[in-house]
Amino acid sequence: MTLEQPELSQSATSLLFKLASKQTQEAFIFNLHNICGYWPKQRPYNFVHLPWKQLAVVNFVSNEECVFCFHMVQRVAGTPGCPIADLREGMHTGLHENLAYFCAKCSMKSVYETLPLVWVSNQEVTVEMAVRMFVTEELLQSFVEKLTGRRARSSGSGHGSARPRAPVPEMKAPKSKGNKIPMFYSQIPNATAVSEPPYLSDAVAPGGSALVINL
């Protein structure tokens, strides 16, 4: 069973899931829908990422949806046969912060096996397009500074933080384990974040789906 934990904060929109076994992102979504009773095409979330195969990060479209999922999963997490071992409130609030954190980690040469899955208005979009819509240069820089500052403090070095590598405007999808997913945030002059794209058709990849990596 899960450990007793306090209620989520009133601003919470994301959850961290510790998985009972290795899962793909698609398998995790299937299991989450089964536990919460979501319809197959229902998307109460807009960001799903498994940075490792036994850890999932999910951002929900509202605090209410986040709280609902938290309570539904909390009832069964850690029980025999449940694919989710435990869960807790996520570190970031909103799609923009989760995307910015992912990009900042990539700029620090973190290794991920998969790209996040992102939805806007219930339609799947590419991560690159989502970053262009929701992550400003200032927001990204703030996350990079937090990560580099944390790294410098943990190392105890007096030489300052390492300079993050330059952004790479193109997105590549490696299929081999251990490859680095480059940071693909494109520095757009006067970039601004928006809550919704002005034209959803501009945000949806041909065929209406984003790049999905099956490892």
Side-chain angles (χ1 to χ4, degrees):
M1 298 292 292
T2 57
L3 297 177
E4 185 176 350
Q5 51 187 301
E7 293 294 311
L8 300 178
S9 65
Q10 293 183 350
S11 61
T13 63
S14 64
L15 297 174
L16 296 177
F17 298 84
K18 179 182 179 182
L19 308 183
S21 61
K22 292 183 178 180
Q23 300 176 36
T24 64
Q25 292 187 149
E26 292 78 11
F28 167 74
I29 291 174
F30 177 82
N31 290 327
L32 189 66
H33 276 234
N34 279 344
I35 294 173
C36 295
Y38 299 140
W39 300 341
K41 293 185 178 181
Q42 188 176 354
R43 294 292 180 267
Y45 44 79
N46 51 23
F47 179 96
V48 174
H49 187 214
L50 270 66
W52 304 285
K53 290 184 178 180
Q54 284 188 254
L55 175 67
V57 183
V58 179
N59 185 74
F60 294 85
V61 298
S62 68
N63 172 258
E64 291 76 15
E65 293 288 1
C66 183
V67 171
F68 172 80
C69 179
F70 178 78
H71 289 304
M72 292 295 289
V73 176
Q74 191 181 41
R75 296 187 308 170
V76 297
T79 60
C82 181
I84 297 175
D86 206 351
L87 75 162
R88 65 177 177 85
E89 184 173 334
M91 297 184 295
H92 308 295
T93 302
L95 175 60
H96 60 300
E97 287 194 5
N98 281 281
L99 285 169
Y101 179 76
F102 171 76
C103 290
K105 289 289 287 183
C106 287
S107 76
M108 301 307 298
K109 301 182 180 181
S110 294
V111 178
Y112 291 121
E113 297 181 11
T114 59
L115 295 173
L117 301 177
V118 182
W119 292 264
V120 176
S121 297
N122 214 45
Q123 295 193 51
E124 192 173 354
V125 302
T126 65
V127 183
E128 183 176 15
M129 180 60 73
V131 169
R132 289 177 181 273
M133 289 190 295
F134 297 106
V135 182
T136 64
E137 186 174 344
E138 293 76 15
L139 179 62
L140 174 65
Q141 188 59 37
S142 69
F143 273 87
V144 171
E145 289 174 356
K146 289 177 183 178
L147 288 172
T148 55
R150 184 186 308 164
R151 178 171 296 185
R153 289 193 298 271
S154 63
S155 64
S157 173
H159 300 292
S161 59
R163 187 179 183 84
R165 59 178 176 174
V168 179
E170 62 178 338
M171 179 173 62
K172 299 180 180 180
K175 287 185 176 293
S176 59
K177 184 175 181 180
N179 283 343
K180 296 181 178 65
I181 297 177
M183 179 178 170
F184 44 79
Y185 179 83
S186 180
Q187 292 184 333
I188 306 172
N190 301 319
T192 57
V194 294
S195 59
E196 293 290 343
Y199 300 102
L200 186 59
S201 59
D202 294 337
V204 180
S209 63
L211 175 62
V212 178
I213 306 172
N214 294 311
L215 295 176

